Amino acid sequence: SDMHESILTKTKVLYDLALPSGNSVSISNLIRLYHITGKNNYIDMAEKMMKGSISSALDNPFGFGWLLSSTYLYIKKPTEITIFTKDNKSDMIDEMNKMYVPNGIFSIVHEDSISEKLDNYNLFKNKSLIKEKPASDFAIICKEFTCSPPLTSVEKIRDVLSSNSSKERIK
């Protein structure tokens, strides 16, 4: 109220309680923006924010779940899944929405919008150069600068994603 004394400073909650802290969500979003756009200012800001709060997270990891998850995304790099479709009512999109890919960046590209403009974004670099495009909807899965060939079925997508996750567990 107006009758209450003024607050000198606002406290910043770094803990991820029932809701993740704004700091942790911002770090995750900045890392994802970096991988989509390739702009270094996003990753620089995320690194700065992580350095400021990671020591507290190491002392009490149970209070910083989202921050540690964001740090994992930073270290392990996301799995990029791009679906190329002709319409909005794709069975492949419906099935992908049901899958759990914790560090995935999903994008949907409509065939009408495929152009050189996509190459301006780091996430889509060289994906518009696919020479043999299937007649139906297809997906491309990329991890650490290695991309799959065009995948035309959900089963093939599951196989590639499960092989990626099993490789990560082995490392």
Side-chain angles (χ1 to χ4, degrees), residues 57-72:
L58 294 174
D59 292 340
N60 180 16
F62 296 108
F64 294 91
W66 196 271
L67 175 65
L68 293 174
S69 177
S70 299
T71 305
Y72 182 81

Side-chain angles (χ1 to χ4, degrees), residues 3 6 22 29 34 45 50 81 85 88 131 138 140 144:
M3 305 298 272
S6 62
N29 290 342
Y34 164 73
M45 181 61 80
M50 278 189 288
I81 302 166
T85 183
N88 291 330
K131 296 194 189 297
F138 65 96
I140 297 176
E144 295 182 19

Side-chain angles (χ1 to χ4, degrees), residues 1-8:
S1 80
D2 293 335
M3 305 298 272
H4 198 273
E5 60 194 51
S6 62
I7 298 175
L8 295 175

